[in-house]
Amino acid sequence: MYLLDAINGLFYFYVLLFAIMLMVLFLGLRMLYNALRLKDEELLRRAKFVLMFTVIALVCIAVVSFFVTGKIPVN
């Protein structure tokens, strides 16, 4: 019988979520660059929303991961 290490499994799930949010952050930065280059107000508004959402999500994932597992997924 194998015992699962739930804490490490949960930590790597947080690492996966953190990596996905980092990719979305870079997508938002690219969207912001294109909005500034094209001077498109609607695209700029969407880019700001995506960036705000991803920064809040990254902070929340890091805080919850630290309180649950004792490690931050940045390591």
Side-chain angles (χ1 to χ4, degrees), residues 17-46:
L17 286 178
F18 201 82
I20 291 170
M21 284 296 117
L22 278 177
M23 288 190 294
V24 174
L25 178 72
F26 289 126
L27 178 73
L29 288 172
R30 182 173 176 239
M31 191 185 303
L32 180 68
Y33 172 74
N34 285 333
L36 292 174
R37 188 173 53 87
L38 298 174
K39 297 180 181 157
D40 186 3
E41 290 295 323
E42 183 62 32
L43 188 59
L44 182 65
R45 190 175 306 133
R46 267 190 262 149

Side-chain angles (χ1 to χ4, degrees), residues 2-73:
Y2 294 102
L3 295 176
L4 297 176
D5 189 6
I7 296 296
N8 277 335
L10 188 61
F11 173 70
Y12 287 112
F13 176 69
Y14 289 136
V15 169
L16 178 68
L17 286 178
F18 201 82
I20 291 170
M21 284 296 117
L22 278 177
M23 288 190 294
V24 174
L25 178 72
F26 289 126
L27 178 73
L29 288 172
R30 182 173 176 239
M31 191 185 303
L32 180 68
Y33 172 74
N34 285 333
L36 292 174
R37 188 173 53 87
L38 298 174
K39 297 180 181 157
D40 186 3
E41 290 295 323
E42 183 62 32
L43 188 59
L44 182 65
R45 190 175 306 133
R46 267 190 262 149
K48 285 180 182 179
F49 175 75
V50 168
L51 289 173
M52 180 188 66
F53 173 76
T54 55
V55 167
I56 290 171
L58 286 170
V59 170
C60 289
I61 291 168
V63 167
V64 170
S65 173
F66 180 72
F67 284 134
V68 172
T69 63
K71 297 184 274 185
I72 296 177

